Amino acid sequence: MSAPERDERRLQRIELFKQATHPSSEWQYSFRDVILYALSIGCRRTEREFVYENDGDFATLPSFAVVAVHKAKLQYQDLLPNFDPRMLLHGEQYVEVFCPLPINGKFVVKPSLVDIQDKGKAALVITRASIVDPDTSKVYAINDVTAFVRNSGGFGRTKPVARIAAATAVNKPPQRSPDAVIEEQTSPDLAALYRLNADYNPLHIDPAFSSKGGFEVPILHGLCSFGISTKHVMQQYGKGKPNSIKSIKAQFAMYVFPGETLRTEMWQEGPDKVIFQTRVLERDVLAITKAAAELTSPSTSKL
């Protein structure tokens, strides 16, 4: 079978879009949003450093940066053939924190297109949301979101853009039992709470909508499972300190139903890297794979 004909005009438009500067959005939040996020990834009332604004150690969790993704409005749909939002799957998430986010913040979120790759019958789209101080232009964190858009390929393959090594690492677990595991049963109401982080997709709350996707019960947000897993790594290898996490990368492999139990299986690979995967115990399936966290300093795990 011959390779599909390259759409040079489309490829040129993609390249110009990658180089362009796109409109930013303001992201302003308060300690209430910080607390809401912590509760929505399962933090307990006893974890006062994340849920009580007057606690002396009150701080934002490292994965709180993902909330900014919903402020990154990047209209790339016209770059793809046959684009249909129902065919879009959130494949991977990469977050790198350069400076801990404050408990009250006012930032701009700058969206950009990292890359679009033709995968045959689908397109791989990588976008970035940079969290930037509007006064100093200091970048506090970046979010790279990889989306898999079915039925939008066939326009021609190009050389992938060089990216941050941690964002593309395969992160294959070692051939040994996990060095540490943490299990956490999620609340049946967790998706209803997590959606208040500006993730209002009805797939996570409306059974009539979720049933059209084949789910009788609305599913949990992938970024909620991402946050829970990051919290587990922080607890196990970062002494529970939010500034212990430099970056997190994960691939979303399977849906999770609210109320199911997540088991984060972790392997320490070197002094400042933890490979992990997250399993749904009730169905014995992996929800998160090819995942790793970089630590800001060598771990002193609670093994």
Side-chain angles (χ1 to χ4, degrees):
M1 182 182 294
S2 60
E5 190 172 326
R6 285 169 63 87
D7 187 340
E8 296 294 348
R9 180 173 294 181
R10 188 181 301 276
L11 291 172
Q12 184 179 38
R13 288 172 54 214
I14 290 172
E15 192 60 36
L16 290 173
F17 199 89
K18 284 158 58 175
Q19 298 173 9
T21 299
H22 303 279
S24 301
S25 300
E26 183 181 282
W27 182 40
Q28 187 168 353
Y29 63 85
S30 73
F31 71 89
R32 290 173 57 89
D33 302 292
V34 171
I35 293 172
L36 172 63
Y37 178 78
L39 292 171
S40 72
I41 63 167
C43 285
R44 310 294 184 181
R45 63 179 178 82
T46 52
E47 297 175 274
R48 289 183 295 276
E49 66 273 29
F50 302 122
V51 301
Y52 180 41
E53 69 280 6
N54 290 327
D55 187 87
D57 295 320
F58 183 57
T60 58
L61 286 154
S63 56
F64 177 67
V66 303
V67 178
V69 166
H70 307 294
K71 290 290 185 177
K73 307 298 182 183
L74 198 64
Q75 304 299 323
Y76 61 79
Q77 294 90 327
D78 292 342
L79 299 175
L80 301 177
N82 310 313
F83 179 83
D84 183 339
R86 294 172 297 181
M87 297 292 103
L88 188 151
L89 298 173
H90 187 176
E92 292 185 351
Q93 185 80 19
Y94 174 75
V95 176
E96 185 165 353
V97 180
F98 304 108
C99 182
L101 292 171
I103 56 176
N104 296 284
K106 184 176 182 180
F107 295 94
V108 292
V109 180
K110 295 185 176 183
S112 58
L113 178 65
V114 177
D115 203 5
I116 291 182
Q117 287 291 314
D118 182 358
K119 294 297 182 181
K121 293 183 179 181
L124 195 69
V125 181
I126 305 169
T127 58
R128 174 170 293 173
S130 300
I131 303 172
V132 181
D133 186 310
D135 298 321
T136 66
S137 297
K138 179 179 180 179
V139 179
Y140 274 64
I142 60 170
N143 283 277
D144 282 3
V145 179
T146 300
F148 193 72
V149 189
R150 293 168 291 173
N151 300 335
S152 287
F155 49 85
R157 296 179 184 258
T158 56
K159 183 179 179 180
V161 169
R163 298 179 61 204
I164 302 165
T168 59
V170 176
N171 299 322
K172 184 178 180 180
Q175 294 296 310
R176 65 176 189 267
S177 297
D179 298 328
V181 298
I182 293 180
E183 295 180 5
E184 180 172 340
Q185 183 173 7
T186 63
S187 164
D189 302 315
L190 199 59
L193 183 60
Y194 190 88
R195 66 187 300 270
L196 299 180
N197 295 302
D199 196 339
Y200 298 117
N201 188 334
L203 177 66
H204 306 293
I205 190 69
D206 186 351
F209 188 92
S210 65
S211 64
K212 295 177 182 178
F215 305 109
E216 292 185 7
V217 177
I219 61 175
L220 191 61
H221 305 71
L223 286 178
C224 182
S225 300
F226 179 91
I228 293 170
S229 300
T230 302
K231 180 184 64 175
H232 290 169
V233 175
M234 178 191 72
Q235 291 169 339
Q236 183 67 41
Y237 290 97
K239 297 182 179 180
K241 302 298 184 183
N243 62 0
S244 63
I245 303 293
K246 176 186 176 184
S247 71
I248 319 102
K249 182 251 185 178
Q251 182 177 92
F252 300 110
M254 181 61 70
Y255 54 85
V256 176
F257 291 114
E260 289 187 315
T261 304
L262 296 179
R263 171 188 167 109
T264 304
E265 303 168 350
M266 297 167 270
W267 293 263
Q268 185 168 358
E269 291 291 282
D272 56 2
K273 182 175 180 177
V274 177
I275 291 176
F276 67 92
Q277 61 188 20
T278 304
R279 187 179 304 275
V280 180
L281 287 188
E282 287 81 357
R283 288 179 286 128
D284 194 25
V285 295
L286 290 174
I288 289 177
T289 59
K290 300 180 179 180
E294 287 185 305
L295 308 175
T296 55
S297 59
S299 167
T300 54
S301 170
K302 299 183 295 183
L303 290 177

